[in-house]
Amino acid sequence: MKIDLGDLNAFVTVARARGFRDGARLSGASASGLSEAVSRLEAQLGVRLFNRTTRSVVPTEAGERLLDRLGPALSEVETALDVVNGFRDRPMGTLRLNVPVSAVRLALPAIVPPFLAAYPDIRLEIVADDNFVDVLAAGCDAGIRYDERLEQDMIAVPIGPRVQRMAAAAAPAYLDRHGRPGHPRDLLGHACLRGRFLSGAMPAWEFERDGEVVVVEPTGPLLVSLGTAVDLAVDAAIAGTGIIFLFEDWLRPHLDSGVLEPVLEPWWQSFSGPFLYYPGRRLVPAPLRAFIDFIRST
């Protein structure tokens, strides 16, 4: 049985994206083209690979088993073909990165434009995702995360600012009305603007001063999805709705302009910046190697 490699790639793309439209958006192909390729593959194999409804496209048991075996195999094919990149004057190909929204905003703007200028034959795809995922299973070459969320078998390379802080801030008018907290526990009596990950986890607010660490879980009138809706919380803080707790660099323009005022600044906790991470058990594709070399040199 001769199976077209493009049809297999189409199947993996749709299975990982859980849909033809999302698969088309991620791959640059057309949804109709992916559908035709999957139908052709199902016809050749004589088995249904997806259960399709108007709302979802979910792999069947046969589809799941095929994906488990086929995903790593196709990755190895891509890696093998990528070897020829070493014989080119300039690396080419696609580099897919899974990145938290904070890194998209705070780390990548200073890196992406000069990198693409230096490597015009590389196409960079950024998938913004605040959930921790298996980068290979997600169809990505590497990811960016903070050290507490890195797996032990990953290779990690520093990227972006090496020291960051979480900052609390509020509009001066809000603080004039409700008072300025002198200790992190005072936040329990304030309107605080919280965030929650898509997983449902709601991170506590952590402060530190002279070796004393204080963790609080305040309440307030607004809860947003971390990453995707954080700017709404920032706007609400500027409007005087309450106190926000976010990356200092994210809030810095508003702090400098005066529309937000620092809250409990002596208690702001520092932590190490993000890392680019990738599995160490496979050959590094040329576009990823170029990106690693670039961030190490900057």
Side-chain angles (χ1 to χ4, degrees), residues 60-271:
T60 61
E61 182 179 358
E64 287 286 4
R65 293 198 178 186
L66 180 60
L67 179 63
D68 289 341
R69 300 295 296 271
L70 196 57
L74 287 178
S75 294
E76 288 302 317
V77 171
E78 291 178 359
T79 300
L81 293 175
D82 189 63
V83 169
V84 301
N85 250 331
F87 295 92
R88 291 174 47 85
D89 294 332
R90 295 183 306 194
M92 69 175 297
T94 298
L95 172 60
R96 300 178 182 89
L97 300 180
N98 185 280
V99 181
V101 174
S102 59
V104 171
R105 188 180 187 105
L106 305 178
L108 292 184
I111 296 173
V112 168
F115 171 73
L116 294 178
Y119 295 95
D121 295 326
I122 291 179
R123 177 173 179 258
L124 183 61
E125 292 186 14
I126 302 295
V127 179
D129 187 352
D130 279 307
N131 293 310
F132 187 74
V133 300
D134 182 328
V135 291
L136 293 183
C140 294
D141 301 293
I144 296 178
R145 289 295 182 270
Y146 289 86
D147 56 1
E148 73 274 9
R149 303 189 72 186
L150 293 175
E151 296 181 12
Q152 292 184 352
D153 63 344
M154 294 289 178
I155 297 175
V157 180
I159 185 172
R162 299 320 311 141
V163 178
Q164 294 182 288
R165 291 196 300 178
M166 294 299 292
Y174 171 88
L175 297 173
D176 290 342
R177 291 195 309 270
H178 300 281
R180 287 164 172 78
H183 189 278
R185 294 190 185 91
D186 295 340
L187 294 171
L188 298 177
H190 280 268
C192 293
L193 313 177
R194 300 292 303 275
R196 180 167 59 193
F197 291 111
L198 294 179
S199 65
M202 188 182 305
W205 292 10
E206 189 166 324
F207 298 86
E208 183 176 3
R209 182 178 184 180
D210 299 330
E212 179 186 3
V213 177
V214 179
V215 180
V216 296
E217 295 196 21
T219 59
L222 180 63
L223 177 65
V224 301
S225 296
L226 286 174
T228 55
V230 168
D231 282 331
L232 175 61
V234 174
D235 291 340
I238 292 172
T241 305
I243 298 175
I244 191 169
F245 186 70
L246 192 59
F247 290 91
E248 178 186 3
D249 292 339
W250 200 315
L251 297 177
R252 177 50 55 191
H254 308 300
L255 294 169
D256 290 343
S257 70
V259 296
L260 288 179
E261 178 181 323
V263 172
L264 298 169
E265 186 169 5
W267 288 87
W268 292 358
Q269 189 178 54
S270 299
F271 54 94

Side-chain angles (χ1 to χ4, degrees), residues 18-21 48 50-59:
R18 289 297 196 266
F20 292 99
R21 289 184 180 178
R48 179 177 291 276
F50 293 103
N51 290 318
R52 303 168 176 84
T53 70
T54 56
R55 295 187 176 182
S56 65
V57 177
V58 180

